[in-house]
């Protein structure tokens, strides 16, 4: 997310919030049509660059669970918390299987969107 928001990043180049050309296009065609066109464009890119798409998705997966925060102590703390949560969830599966299944279902389903769109540590707050 930091890279996307940085000057010259993807947001400045293509998001209507920061790009006047994109904002004008959004205004002229309407939100629904604008989003349909952006989805079509994204799907074309994904089909023509499947390796890059998989690599970027894998990076977002890692960023979601092990956010490269600065200072590094925050990133390390979050990484330790993630690993301990996995261990705790595994113990929960052994002791209280239905609750453990609920725990891991939330951990599996909730972040799926962020693996394919944008990842940031703050998106983890609801499950942390």
């Amino acid at each position: 997310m930091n890279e996307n928001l940085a000057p010259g990043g993807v947001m400045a180049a293509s998001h209507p919030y920061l790009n006047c050309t994109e904002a004008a296009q959004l205004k002229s065609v309407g939100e629904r049509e604008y989003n349909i066109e952006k989805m079509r464009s994204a799907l074309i890119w994904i089909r023509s660059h499947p390796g890059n798409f998989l690599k970027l998705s894998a990076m977002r997966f890692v960023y979601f669970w092990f956010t490269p925060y600065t200072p590094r102590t925050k990133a390390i703390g979050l990484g330790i918390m993630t690993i301990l949560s996995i261990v705790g969830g595994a113990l929960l599966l052994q002791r209280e299987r239905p609750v453990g299944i609920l725990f891991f279902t939330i951990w599996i389903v909730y972040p799926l969107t962020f693996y394919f769109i944008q990842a940031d540590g703050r998106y983890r707050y609801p499950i942390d």
Side-chain angles (χ1 to χ4, degrees), residues 8-21:
V10 172
M11 291 281 284
S14 63
H15 197 282
Y17 180 73
L18 296 174
N19 184 296
C20 293
T21 304

Side-chain angles (χ1 to χ4, degrees), residues 69-90:
Y69 282 118
T70 303
R72 294 286 297 151
T73 53
K74 186 174 181 180
I76 292 167
L78 184 64
I80 290 170
M81 185 176 80
T82 299
I83 292 166
L84 291 176
S85 295
I86 293 168
V87 171

Side-chain angles (χ1 to χ4, degrees), residues 21 49 80 89 107 109 116-117 127:
T21 304
H49 301 88
I80 290 170
W107 264 42
V109 173
F116 301 107
I117 297 176
I127 61 174

Side-chain angles (χ1 to χ4, degrees), residues 4 9 12 36 40 46 56 68 70 72 82 96 98 102 104 108 110 113 115:
N4 290 344
I36 288 170
R40 186 187 68 75
I46 290 168
L56 290 168
T70 303
R72 294 286 297 151
T82 299
E96 295 289 333
L102 176 63
F104 279 114
I108 291 166
Y110 171 78
T113 301
Y115 301 155

Side-chain angles (χ1 to χ4, degrees), residues 42-117:
L43 291 173
I44 289 170
W45 185 89
I46 290 168
R47 279 189 218 106
S48 61
H49 301 88
N52 287 355
F53 174 72
L54 289 174
K55 179 182 173 190
L56 290 168
S57 297
M59 288 172 59
R60 284 188 291 268
F61 176 88
V62 172
Y63 276 25
F64 183 86
W65 292 109
F66 300 95
T67 306
Y69 282 118
T70 303
R72 294 286 297 151
T73 53
K74 186 174 181 180
I76 292 167
L78 184 64
I80 290 170
M81 185 176 80
T82 299
I83 292 166
L84 291 176
S85 295
I86 293 168
V87 171
L91 292 173
L92 192 59
L93 272 173
Q94 290 176 345
R95 296 180 184 162
E96 295 289 333
R97 188 159 186 82
V99 178
I101 290 170
L102 176 63
F103 174 84
F104 279 114
T105 299
I106 292 168
W107 264 42
I108 291 166
V109 173
Y110 171 78
L112 287 176
T113 301
F114 305 114
Y115 301 155
F116 301 107
I117 297 176

